[in-house]
Amino acid sequence: NAGVMQNPRHLVRRRGQEARLRCSPMKGHSHVYWYRQLPEEGLKFMVYLQKENIIDESGMPKERFSAEFPKEGPSILRIQQVVRGDSAAYFCASSPPDNEQFFGPGTRLTVL
Amino acid sequence: QKEVEQDPGPLSVPEGAIVSLNCTYSNSAFQYFMWYRQYSRKGPELLMYTYSSGNKEDGRFTAQVDKSSKYISLFIRDSQPSDSATYLCAMTRTGFQKLVFGTGTRLLVSP
């Protein structure tokens, strides 16, 4: 059983461009979480999704950030008009309902 | 004030030492407490979790929760160089949703 897959592993964008981060959960997992890790800081919760539903987006910035988890395909975290402060490692985790979260390897976003 | 406080380290110990890692927290509503290990450039992996107060042991690892003091600990016995990593505490109010993490403590175990 493959683990949580994230791609790309590294993403470089110039200020003002869009960044799309993908997360394929483990087989059988219907819950997906996104976290952001800034340098020298712990992981910060961003959003919790189930298939086709956003359950909790209390950690998402109000502007430029959006997330989806469609019926088919991976979960997508989208950052529009990136700024240098968006540079961070973005981790996706998946789980069965109310159970341990398994983390992916992360996508490291660098904004030039 | 952060919800969860954790000394960033680094904590350097010789092989075989007993390691004590700690977190304090401010929100008394937290009920589930976890410890994650994160190797450089990797995602966190769950080591242990406990519900409410008490101790839990798994091999060389022991987790302790003292809700009255809002203080949790992870002890590693007979530490190995392969234990060198960043250790993150995390906690939630209900179940395993919306984890609140500490900043992590970097542990270095020298041979």
Side-chain angles (χ1 to χ4, degrees), chain B residues 48-104:
Chain B
M48 300 182 69
Y49 75 89
T50 52
Y51 171 71
S52 195
S53 286
N55 294 359
K56 189 173 184 179
E57 187 174 322
D58 184 2
R60 296 186 295 114
F61 298 89
T62 299
Q64 287 185 354
V65 174
D66 181 351
K67 290 191 70 180
S68 63
S69 302
K70 299 190 181 70
Y71 187 88
I72 70 171
S73 301
L74 178 71
F75 297 95
I76 307 174
R77 290 183 297 281
D78 187 25
S79 56
Q80 303 295 311
S82 58
D83 294 329
S84 297
T86 296
Y87 290 79
L88 301 152
C89 63
M91 44 201 80
T92 69
R93 282 179 285 183
T94 55
F96 288 86
Q97 301 171 15
K98 190 177 177 180
L99 300 175
V100 180
F101 282 88
T103 54

